[in-house]
């Protein structure tokens, strides 16, 4: 695997899920694979889970992880091409990326959408430069439009908790005070469309996700109707994707608290399991009652981030043999 970005990069999902099960049952079984190998994990943005689970996955494989916090520890990096660098950015990605590539075997990059320039974000301009100029396999640790390590962990979790061959999975928008990227819902939609599930997306009007991620998924604007009979409820906030109104790209266009997932919402489901990628704002996205209930699987979901990252790194190391 040269890069991990889209669901197609992982190939057959059944095979990937079987591999995830093997890795979870025997996390140290491939300790020799990463011997004398180094992964550099670059963070342009904050993280708890991705930062820790990626290091743990690398350590399980016998690899050395090195973490770089751009904006904190390194020089401030210019990301746009063709600009006069007379501001506060001391170094350009064009030099920084090949330098980073010369120090490691794999690279992971977290680089959120700026949410001001849709074209720049949706071209994955920063991740593309890492893929082009590093000479090394690159993993998206949530880039401008996708968060594949999260979506793979979500799929692993659904596989573990499902009680029927084809469960109903509902992804619902929920309110949040700040503008958040669309990467998590984009990837979740992309992966659910590729998986054997009955997938429904619900959100207020104006929050339509990019069609390339929505694919053939059912979009239902009536949240309660969408949630009826759900086996899994996946809550997430995202800012306006600018699909129906480009001028609203990256903006918060609704704070409707009626969309917060509470007990009344869960009551119309089929005793659904509650999922969220975390971090989550309690009593904005989800009520205490729901996230604290036995049906909440947010902690095992987060724990599976080690498994998804380990499968991806394992495959990249095997391909390099
Ligand atoms: C980020 C987001 O919504 O993309 C990261 C989630 C994994 N969330 C926040 O910034 C709160
Ligand atoms: N879910 C997730 O990616 O969490 P972090 O932002 O804490 O890494």
């Amino acid at each position: 695997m040269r890069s991990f970005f889209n669901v197609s990069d992982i190939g057959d999902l059944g095979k990937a899920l079987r591999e995830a099960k093997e890795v979870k049952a025997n996390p140290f079984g491939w300790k020799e694979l990463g011997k004398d190998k180094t992964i550099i994990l670059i963070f342009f943005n904050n993280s708890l889970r991705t930062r820790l689970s990626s290091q743990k996955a690398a350590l399980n494989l016998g690899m050395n992880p090195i973490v770089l916090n751009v904006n904190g520890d390194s020089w401030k990096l210019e990301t746009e091409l063709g600009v006069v660098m007379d501001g506060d950015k001391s170094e350009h990605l064009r030099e920084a990326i090949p330098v980073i590539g010369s120090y490691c075997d794999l690279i992971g990059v977290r680089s959120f959408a700026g949410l001001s320039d849709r074209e720049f974000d949706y071209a994955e301009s920063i991740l593309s430069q890492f893929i082009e100029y590093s000479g090394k396999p690159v993993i998206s640790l949530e880039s401008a439009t996708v968060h594949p390590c999260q979506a793979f962990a979500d799929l692993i979790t659904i596989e573990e908790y499902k009680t029927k061959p084809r469960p109903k999975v509902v992804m619902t928008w929920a309110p949040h005070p700040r503008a958040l990227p669309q990467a998590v819902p984009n990837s979740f939609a992309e992966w659910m469309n590729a998986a054997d599930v009955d997938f429904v997306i619900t959100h207020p009007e104006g929050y339509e996700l990019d069609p390339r991620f929505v694919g053939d998924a059912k979009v239902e604007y009536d949240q309660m109707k969408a949630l009826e009979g759900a086996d899994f409820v996946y809550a997430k906030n995202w800012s306006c994707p600018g699909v129906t109104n480009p001028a609203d790209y990256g903006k918060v266009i609704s704070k409707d608290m009626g969309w917060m997932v509470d007990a009344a919402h869960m009551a119309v489901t089929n005793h659904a399991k509650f999922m969220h990628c975390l971090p989550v704002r309690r009593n904005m996205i989800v009520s205490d009652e729901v996230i604290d209930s036995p049906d909440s699987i947010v902690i095992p979901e987060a724990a599976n981030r080690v498994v998804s990252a380990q499968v991806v790194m394992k495959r990249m190391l095997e391909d390099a043999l």
Side-chain angles (χ1 to χ4, degrees):
M1 204 190 312
R2 264 322 274 179
S3 60
F4 184 57
F5 190 70
N6 290 119
V7 68
S8 53
D9 295 323
I10 199 96
D12 182 77
L13 281 186
K15 194 164 171 262
L17 286 168
R18 284 192 294 279
E19 201 169 322
K21 212 170 166 179
E22 283 172 34
V23 162
K24 191 163 179 171
N26 186 19
F28 307 114
W30 291 267
K31 234 176 156 24
E32 288 303 305
L33 200 55
K35 190 170 177 292
D36 300 333
K37 303 278 184 194
T38 300
I39 183 165
I40 295 187
L41 304 163
I42 301 156
F43 288 87
F44 286 83
N45 313 95
N46 297 343
S47 163
L48 186 153
R49 277 143 293 275
T50 305
R51 168 188 301 278
L52 298 179
S53 61
S54 304
Q55 291 180 78
K56 177 68 174 129
L59 291 166
N60 287 355
L61 290 165
M63 250 198 300
N64 301 304
I66 300 177
V67 178
L68 177 69
N69 300 310
V70 180
N71 303 328
D73 301 344
S74 78
W75 300 109
K76 276 199 176 173
L77 299 178
E78 179 57 62
T79 57
E80 291 198 40
L81 291 163
V83 292
V84 177
M85 288 174 60
D86 59 354
D88 64 340
K89 313 266 176 69
S90 308
E91 181 159 19
H92 201 286
L93 277 184
R94 277 298 277 110
E95 284 73 51
I97 294 172
V99 169
I100 291 166
S102 75
Y103 300 154
C104 65
D105 303 281
L106 304 182
I107 301 179
V109 185
R110 164 156 290 198
S111 161
F112 287 176
L115 296 178
S116 57
D117 180 344
R118 187 178 203 280
E119 212 175 308
F120 183 83
D121 289 344
Y122 272 74
E124 282 286 358
S125 308
I126 294 176
L127 208 80
S128 305
Q129 291 187 61
F130 273 92
I131 291 169
E132 192 171 348
Y133 303 126
S134 71
K136 297 290 152 68
V138 177
I139 303 171
S140 166
L141 302 176
E142 185 174 337
S143 48
T145 63
V146 289
H147 195 359
C149 294
Q150 182 64 50
F152 186 18
D154 296 334
L155 178 63
I156 294 166
T157 311
I158 289 170
E159 185 69 13
E160 286 173 347
Y161 282 86
K162 72 181 186 187
T163 54
K164 58 173 77 145
R166 194 178 159 81
K168 178 174 176 181
V169 178
V170 180
M171 177 168 78
T172 179
W173 179 93
H176 192 280
R178 294 176 52 196
L180 298 186
Q182 296 113 41
V184 170
N186 283 345
S187 280
F188 189 72
E190 187 193 21
W191 283 66
M192 287 303 111
N193 283 330
D196 193 14
V197 301
D198 173 15
F199 183 52
V200 180
I201 305 173
T202 183
H203 54 72
E205 282 188 41
Y207 278 99
E208 290 77 13
L209 292 165
D210 192 287
R212 89 180 83 148
F213 295 106
V214 175
D216 294 330
K218 182 165 191 253
V219 178
E220 169 58 67
Y221 292 100
D222 182 333
Q223 189 192 26
M224 280 300 187
K225 205 168 155 198
L227 291 170
E228 275 170 24
D231 298 296
F232 293 89
V233 173
Y234 191 91
K236 183 72 185 90
N237 172 269
W238 61 89
S239 62
C240 177
V243 169
T244 44
N245 187 0
D248 281 343
Y249 176 65
K251 294 201 173 117
V252 174
I253 55 171
S254 170
K255 286 188 181 173
D256 185 349
M257 289 300 286
W259 282 75
M260 178 180 79
V261 178
D262 61 11
H265 289 82
M266 295 302 280
V268 303
T269 69
N270 180 32
H271 305 291
K273 297 293 182 202
F274 175 81
M275 298 178 73
H276 189 280
C277 64
L278 306 182
V280 72
R281 291 197 183 219
R282 285 170 170 251
N283 304 309
M284 282 294 309
I285 300 278
V286 56
S287 67
D288 283 339
E289 195 182 3
V290 170
I291 196 165
D292 290 332
S293 82
D295 288 328
S296 169
I297 55 171
V298 296
I299 306 302
E301 179 185 0
N304 278 332
R305 289 292 306 276
V306 176
V307 184
S308 66
Q310 198 173 333
V311 171
V312 171
M313 292 175 195
K314 173 178 169 287
R315 287 202 179 177
M316 286 179 165
L317 290 170
E318 284 168 345
D319 286 356
L321 289 177

